[in-house]
Amino acid sequence: MSKAIIYRSGKLYKEEIEEGGSPNSLRVLQTGVCGSDRHILAQRLGDGPFVIGHEIVGIVDKLERPELLLGDSVQLGERVIVAPGINCGKCRNCIMKRKYCSNRFVYGFTPFASPERNGSFAETMELRAGTKLFKIPDAMSDDRASFAEIMACAVGAIEKITDAANLSDLGKVVVLGAGPAGLCVYTAAKFYGLDVHLYDINEEAMAFARRIGPLQTVNSLEGLEGVSAVIDCAGSARAFTQAVELVDIGGMVIEFGAFVPAAAPASFPFWLICQKDLTIRGISETYDRNFPVALRILQESPLALERLFTERIQLDELDRIVQCLETPTIGKAVVISSSR
Ligand SMILES: [Zn+2]
Ligand SMILES: [Zn+2]
């Protein structure tokens, strides 16, 4: 038996779960709390049941059939990141060799598929066949490694820009929203050498963001010219509208922040998509191939993303977990399952 936080129909429960008997498993160290976890509790992503948590840092504690795992080749006792998604390999998209699976299993999001437990707000996680693990460099702290999952998502957004653009012609890239997601996107853009600028309407959020290191920011979007791409990490209708208005002709807007229905704007200038010949892209989740580069960015970037953690919650503290998910604050929380 081991402890886990289970989501079921708009509520979280602390429960003891029986071992499912998977040949490979993880002892969870810690899990970053993501905006999606808030959407889960607010019942915007289904009823469950499942163990929540997908920004996973853990230690391989059972490795009876390593051939069932993908990603890095790992040893017992090694510290790893888990890529949360697993493609089914059977649906039409999988068979057509597209990267999108219409039946994708995601740790921390997919209802119980017995016997495996699925998210990492838990003491242990049983690893399904096809799970991709990535080794965490020894010198990297657990807190920093917790950003690998969002960073992999950020890389997915940035590569949409770099794949489409002739980099020598690429002008400014603006990131809207200075929360943890926006700062990961900013960090990834810096790593790729883009001329990236950060903006948040909330001055307190901007001031908080600066704790990770020097940032290239703008105080106002007014009069900003030569913007080739805007990535909306704020996830509000207002920010998306600003993005479409701000971006230059022929540019790209990427929606990164809005994953569930949000209030629609009273009026959205959709004609600008046509008038400016815009490309509008989204990013639904991490692409597995981006985890190694995400870890490299975390290894090499001087920006101290781990300073964004303002709240450390023990797995036992169900009330605090619920409160953290119900009342978001500036900064990021982490749920601690065990220590090294
Ligand atoms: Zn997430
Ligand atoms: Zn599939």
Side-chain angles (χ1 to χ4, degrees):
M1 301 286 272
S2 73
K3 274 178 262 173
I5 304 294
I6 296 181
Y7 165 74
R8 198 180 281 121
S9 303
K11 284 215 160 95
L12 293 181
Y13 301 88
K14 187 165 65 181
E15 293 184 7
E16 296 270 339
I17 315 185
E18 279 185 44
E19 226 178 271
S22 293
N24 304 310
S25 71
L26 209 66
R27 173 162 68 84
V28 180
L29 289 171
Q30 65 178 52
T31 309
V33 175
C34 172
S36 307
D37 299 322
R38 302 201 159 95
H39 293 315
I40 287 169
L41 188 57
Q43 252 178 317
R44 297 186 195 109
L45 292 167
D47 285 330
F50 50 84
V51 179
I52 64 170
H54 59 277
E55 295 180 2
I56 308 158
V57 176
I59 289 179
V60 180
D61 75 343
K62 187 174 169 194
L63 194 61
E64 289 172 1
R65 293 194 59 195
E67 73 278 11
L68 297 181
L69 301 174
L70 301 171
D72 291 344
S73 139
V74 297
Q75 307 288 322
L76 207 59
E78 263 181 324
R79 216 160 42 110
V80 293
I81 294 299
V82 180
I86 304 174
N87 287 0
C88 76
K90 293 176 192 151
C91 71
R92 187 170 177 275
N93 276 339
C94 280
I95 288 165
M96 304 273 289
K97 304 268 184 233
R98 292 179 186 153
K99 63 186 170 192
Y100 304 105
C101 168
S102 39
N103 196 22
R104 190 160 152 94
F105 168 87
V106 185
Y107 286 104
F109 285 91
T110 306
F112 274 146
S114 189
E116 297 94 340
R117 278 165 240 167
N118 41 14
S120 60
F121 282 18
E123 286 180 313
T124 61
M125 271 178 76
E126 298 192 30
L127 301 174
R128 298 169 71 102
T131 298
K132 293 178 194 73
L133 301 180
F134 297 94
K135 288 192 232 185
I136 300 171
D138 287 343
M140 191 182 292
S141 68
D142 296 342
D143 279 0
R144 194 155 174 88
S146 295
F147 281 93
E149 196 268 343
I150 334 179
M151 189 59 81
C153 208
V155 168
I158 297 301
E159 71 180 10
K160 286 175 203 280
I161 298 170
T162 54
D163 285 355
N166 176 346
L167 284 184
S168 60
D169 296 340
L170 191 69
K172 296 185 184 81
V173 173
V174 174
V175 175
L176 300 180
L183 288 169
C184 279
V185 170
Y186 177 93
T187 303
K190 271 274 174 216
F191 180 83
Y192 281 90
L194 308 187
D195 179 21
V196 59
H197 300 253
L198 183 71
Y199 174 78
D200 197 304
I201 196 167
N202 179 343
E203 283 175 21
E204 200 191 335
M206 282 293 257
F208 180 83
R210 288 198 183 86
R211 64 168 55 197
I212 72 168
L215 302 170
Q216 183 163 242
T217 61
V218 287
N219 295 326
S220 162
L221 301 178
E222 208 70 36
L224 201 59
E225 288 185 343
V227 177
S228 295
V230 183
I231 306 162
D232 169 31
C233 300
S236 69
R238 178 193 172 125
F240 186 69
T241 304
Q242 281 178 323
V244 168
E245 287 170 347
L246 177 65
V247 73
D248 205 359
I249 191 162
M252 182 181 287
V253 171
I254 299 179
E255 181 50 51
F256 190 96
F259 195 67
V260 295
S267 144
F268 172 70
F270 59 90
W271 51 89
L272 289 179
I273 298 171
C274 200
Q275 285 183 2
K276 295 204 220 173
D277 201 6
L278 299 184
T279 303
I280 309 282
R281 301 292 304 265
I283 172 109
S284 65
E285 57 179 307
T286 51
Y287 305 136
D288 302 334
R289 66 172 187 280
N290 289 336
F291 277 84
V293 66
L295 280 164
R296 224 181 98 208
I297 293 171
L298 290 170
Q299 237 180 329
E300 294 180 18
S301 170
L303 294 171
L305 289 162
E306 60 280 5
R307 290 192 195 141
L308 296 175
F309 283 116
T310 47
E311 204 178 354
R312 312 184 78 78
I313 308 174
Q314 299 298 317
L315 183 65
D316 267 337
E317 300 177 294
L318 179 63
D319 292 348
R320 276 186 75 196
I321 293 174
V322 171
Q323 194 192 351
C324 162
L325 293 178
E326 285 180 346
T327 44
T329 51
I330 289 177
K332 190 167 167 73
V334 62
V335 172
I336 310 289
S337 292
S338 65
S339 53
R340 277 206 238 173

